[in-house]
Amino acid sequence: MNIRGKQIAIVGGTLGLVLAGIVGCGTAQSTPSQTNNTDAASQKNTGSAGNTSPIQVVAAENEYGNVVSQIGGKYVDVTSIMSDPNTDPHTYEASPQTAKAIAGAQLLIQNGLGYDDFMGKLESASPNANRKVIDVQTLLGLPDSTPNPHLWYKPTTMPQVAKAIVKDLSAIDPAQASYFQDNEQKFEQSLQPWYKELAAVKKEFPNAPVATTEPVCDYMLEASGMKNMTPWAFQAAVMNGTDPAPQDVTLQKNLFTQHKIKVFLYNQQVTDTLTTTLLNLAKQNDIPVVGVYETMPSGHTYQSWMLDEVQDLQNALKNHVSTETLS
Amino acid sequence: MTKLLHVLFAPGLFTDASVANAVLIGTVVAIISGVVGVFVVIRGQSYLGHALGDFGATGASVSFLFGLAPLWGFLGSGVIAGAGVDVLGQGHRRRGRDVTTGVIHAFVMGLSALFLYFDTTHTSTTGAPMTILFGSIFLIDPKLVPTTVILGVLTLVLLLVLYRPLLLSSLDADLAKARGIPVRWVSFLFMCCMVMAVSQSSLVIGALLSTTLLIGPAATAIRLTKRTGLAMILSAATGTVATWLGIVLAYDSFNWPPTGRGWPVSFFVTSLVLLFYLISRFKRQQPVVARRPKEESSMKEVVKHGYRMEHNS
């Protein structure tokens, strides 16, 4: 009996500790996976006609969500699913709330290329013939074999997406077509500073050698004329959460220790022991670091975020200054 | 000639720092696992060994959550869950231990699922599941090498101290009790040795495969010799060779299709361990049984000369 009592005490104690740990984590991890776009939310129900409810839009990534709310203005209510700058979107798992939001949406916008596969699954789970879906991969006519899914870093992507948004929103609410049209014009105008900046960097530092952890901003590097020295296999491995080959790791580390690169672009949202090691190597070897993001950091619009990234790159090339975090 | 050498040893193998690290840690792990493994096989605790590795995976997934080195998570949760198995399984014969291991194993794996979900949804540590379950020998932090070596030496020392009482209580718990050996403590301390071996092995080839180096080499050695001491040495050697060859092959595989990717070390190590075991089976032998000494004098002999297995003819 005595022994039994002791057993129960010990086991109970162990389980208690474990459960306490879980509860502790649970409270620490209270970041919401969904944030309603505040711009749209604050402008909700301020439409001239008080009886129209805003168009329900769900964007898989908040950079697309931001563009939708810029174009739809007060006539849309946008929910962005992936918007947490501290997590890796590649490993996102959909929750029941996500499913509910998608089921009630009139317009969906997603990236494609395997970046947000959960969208397709949830769409087929709640079929709706009237729902509009913008799949950016399909929109740009890209094959499934396209290696780099981070399409929003490509300067040519968003204008096409914006036009598709106007088309779909106008189909849902024809009365506001010209309003959407105007906003789209404004949006394209506001991309100009980013384009100018890209061209300026390209002109001033042609073929400057840089390194990355993974391909998040490779399209931007292409557009600004940088030369990414990191082997593609290495980038793909980090992006997919597998181990790069030791040969590639050595090659990558040598870029830092032998000062072969001018800037290190560090994805803040896909990190592991290896990327942290590289970050330390950059600091030891006095190589400026530019933090890049998968999803739009808070306090930004799509265009201000893109402009910031290029300006940070320029700052690193020109003045040897690191900008590790945005927002 | 150089061409052939390049096929056998891909360029850069001997100058690559991460390979040198991998070989060093891999050797320590193979030796510890090999030595501890001989007792695991004698005591019939393969399943507990496997479960301990999975317990460690849960701890490692917690340590990813808080940005600690996975090694500490592996060790901590291995000891806690192992103690739980030990306590719950007391007072029963082996079957009781087996069942409690099964029950706790399932629960702890469930916890692992929860924490890995947190890792991938609330932190940016992308590679956590792959690293924990399948190991990342080439990416081990060089700063962990001294720690691993020290822990390895400690495990060996503990096992040497335990050697005689452990042998006795593994062969005949009742007799060991009668001779005043604290069998419960011996079994708990041996479990700690297993946790150490399995945790370090998890770093190298992952939690799911951590028993590869624990069971395979020991089983191979026990087929080749009847002496416990010699079996330990053979087992450690077999594991070491498998690890070294695995590392070389994984490094070489960079040039195999799909080129520029490289295959995981874990795959090579597990394949080689199986291969060695199959080779050892060619040595014809009858099923072995442990001779259960009936008298005091022969028990002394066992302790003096080591554990001998006899053919059951």
Side-chain angles (χ1 to χ4, degrees):
Chain A
M1 281 320 280
N2 201 358
I3 289 180
R4 169 152 299 186
K6 220 162 46 176
Q7 273 186 33
I8 291 171
I10 292 175
V11 173
T14 314
L15 286 182
L17 274 176
V18 169
L19 287 172
I22 299 173
V23 174
C25 289
T27 49
Q29 302 292 343
S30 59
T31 40
S33 64
Q34 288 194 26
T35 47
N36 262 1
N37 188 298
T38 42
D39 298 345
S42 61
Q43 292 176 340
K44 225 161 113 176
N45 300 329
T46 53
S48 49
N51 57 357
T52 52
S53 56
I55 302 169
Q56 294 298 313
V57 184
V58 171
E61 295 82 16
N62 66 347
E63 54 268 22
Y64 294 125
N66 178 262
V67 176
V68 175
S69 55
Q70 286 186 53
I71 289 167
K74 56 195 175 193
Y75 299 104
V76 292
D77 184 0
V78 183
T79 306
S80 293
I81 294 167
M82 292 199 277
S83 56
D84 184 349
N86 302 316
T87 61
D88 175 10
H90 291 272
T91 53
Y92 181 83
E93 288 195 43
S95 63
Q97 290 90 331
T98 316
K100 202 171 151 222
I102 286 176
Q106 293 159 278
L107 171 63
L108 293 173
I109 178 157
Q110 64 207 38
N111 185 73
L113 288 175
Y115 190 78
D116 40 22
D117 275 346
F118 64 91
M119 292 293 280
K121 288 175 196 153
L122 293 174
E123 283 153 28
S124 37
S126 61
N128 177 352
N130 297 328
R131 184 170 53 203
K132 306 271 181 205
V133 179
I134 299 175
D135 180 281
V136 179
Q137 175 195 349
T138 316
L139 184 74
L140 304 178
L142 295 169
D144 283 342
S145 57
T146 308
N148 182 0
H150 307 99
L151 300 171
W152 53 96
Y153 271 93
K154 212 184 199 141
T156 52
T157 299
M158 246 359 143
Q160 295 186 63
V161 174
K163 287 190 178 76
I165 292 169
V166 170
K167 193 174 132 234
D168 285 344
L169 288 180
S170 306
I172 298 169
D173 190 356
Q176 308 305 335
S178 61
Y179 171 85
F180 298 140
Q181 202 78 47
D182 286 352
N183 281 347
E184 200 270 335
Q185 290 298 316
K186 280 186 207 140
F187 173 73
E188 288 210 32
Q189 278 302 311
S190 67
L191 290 173
Q192 292 309 313
W194 177 38
Y195 295 160
K196 284 201 184 84
E197 190 68 19
L198 284 167
V201 172
K202 188 171 184 166
K203 202 172 147 199
E204 198 175 354
F205 305 98
N207 280 324
V210 297
T212 57
T213 48
E214 61 116 276
V216 65
C217 66
D218 281 13
Y219 290 123
M220 176 183 92
L221 295 175
E222 228 170 277
S224 56
M226 299 291 108
K227 191 170 170 209
N228 190 351
M229 307 289 281
T230 305
W232 171 257
F234 181 99
Q235 297 185 59
V238 174
M239 170 171 80
N240 299 325
T242 57
D243 286 355
Q247 284 91 332
D248 281 340
V249 175
T250 305
L251 203 152
Q252 170 87 339
K253 283 182 177 168
N254 288 346
L255 294 177
F256 292 79
T257 51
Q258 297 168 6
H259 295 269
K260 289 181 179 166
I261 47 166
K262 297 241 182 300
V263 184
F264 176 43
L265 296 116
Y266 185 79
N267 184 352
Q268 292 289 1
Q269 283 173 257
V270 181
T271 60
D272 54 27
T273 17
L274 178 61
T275 61
T276 335
T277 308
L278 294 173
L279 194 59
N280 292 332
L281 267 183
K283 284 169 185 170
Q284 282 158 20
N285 293 288
D286 202 25
I287 290 159
V289 179
V290 172
V292 289
Y293 290 81
E294 299 252 357
T295 52
M296 191 179 68
S298 61
H300 281 274
T301 60
Y302 168 73
Q303 51 274 47
S304 78
W305 169 37
M306 286 296 123
L307 182 62
D308 271 7
E309 296 282 19
V310 188
Q311 280 173 341
D312 293 345
L313 175 64
Q314 189 185 33
N315 208 358
L317 290 162
K318 205 184 239 169
N319 311 319
H320 211 77
V321 173
S322 287
T323 317
E324 280 191 53
T325 51
L326 290 177
S327 76
Chain B
M1 190 62 209
T2 22
K3 226 179 188 157
L4 178 69
L5 269 179
H6 275 184
V7 170
L8 292 177
F9 306 110
L13 178 72
F14 299 107
T15 53
D16 199 309
S18 60
V19 172
N21 250 333
V23 167
L24 191 60
I25 286 195
T27 308
V28 172
V29 165
I31 291 173
I32 307 301
S33 296
V35 172
V36 173
V38 170
F39 277 107
V40 176
V41 173
I42 291 175
R43 294 167 68 91
Q45 290 185 317
S46 296
Y47 177 49
L48 178 61
H50 173 76
L52 287 176
D54 289 348
F55 295 163
T58 307
S61 51
V62 175
S63 50
F64 264 96
L65 212 52
F66 297 109
L68 301 165
L71 176 66
W72 306 117
F74 274 123
L75 282 174
S77 63
V79 170
I80 291 172
V85 169
D86 212 63
V87 170
L88 281 177
Q90 282 303 334
H92 305 280
R93 285 272 167 230
R94 277 211 177 124
R95 193 161 55 97
R97 176 71 48 86
D98 192 50
V99 171
T100 53
T101 307
V103 172
I104 293 201
H105 185 202
F107 169 66
V108 176
M109 284 306 278
L111 282 183
S112 197
L114 175 73
F115 288 124
L116 281 176
Y117 170 78
F118 282 152
D119 277 336
T120 49
T121 51
H122 292 286
T123 72
S124 52
T125 46
T126 310
M130 282 297 281
T131 301
I132 291 169
L133 299 177
F134 300 104
S136 299
I137 190 168
F138 289 120
L139 300 180
I140 291 175
D141 186 355
K143 289 198 280 290
L144 270 182
V145 176
T147 318
T148 315
V149 174
I150 290 166
L151 283 176
V153 171
L154 280 180
T155 314
L156 275 186
V157 169
L158 181 58
L159 203 65
L160 286 177
V161 171
L162 283 178
Y163 185 81
R164 289 177 59 175
L166 178 61
L167 199 54
L168 260 179
S169 54
S170 303
L171 295 178
D172 192 332
D174 294 337
L175 188 68
K177 257 190 201 133
R179 292 176 58 112
I181 292 172
V183 176
R184 279 197 62 171
W185 275 108
V186 169
S187 116
F188 177 74
L189 286 173
F190 176 67
M191 195 212 66
C192 291
C193 287
M194 274 166 87
V195 170
M196 295 261 217
V198 168
S199 300
Q200 305 206 35
S201 166
S202 298
L203 287 179
V204 175
I205 53 175
L208 282 182
L209 310 169
S210 58
T211 29
T212 306
L213 290 169
L214 195 70
I215 310 301
T220 307
I222 285 176
R223 286 194 70 84
L224 299 177
T225 176
K226 297 173 190 167
R227 306 283 310 262
T228 323
L230 187 59
M232 285 177 169
I233 293 169
L234 270 180
S235 169
T238 310
T240 306
V241 170
T243 308
W244 286 358
L245 276 177
I247 290 170
V248 171
L249 286 170
Y251 193 83
D252 288 350
S253 69
F254 185 70
N255 303 316
W256 306 354
T259 31
R261 290 289 174 148
W263 301 17
V265 179
S266 322
F267 162 74
F268 291 111
V269 174
T270 47
S271 311
L272 288 162
V273 166
L274 178 69
L275 182 73
F276 292 157
Y277 177 70
L278 291 176
I279 292 171
S280 78
R281 304 234 358 160
F282 281 112
K283 188 186 168 195
R284 289 199 56 78
Q285 63 181 176
Q286 309 286 325
V288 293
V289 288
R291 181 175 52 164
R292 224 177 115 156
K294 295 279 183 292
E295 297 143 37
E296 199 72 359
S297 61
S298 56
M299 199 68 208
K300 278 196 186 120
E301 197 186 302
V302 166
V303 173
K304 210 160 143 191
H305 300 295
Y307 174 64
R308 288 168 175 276
M309 285 162 285
E310 296 212 329
H311 297 300
N312 204 8
S313 43

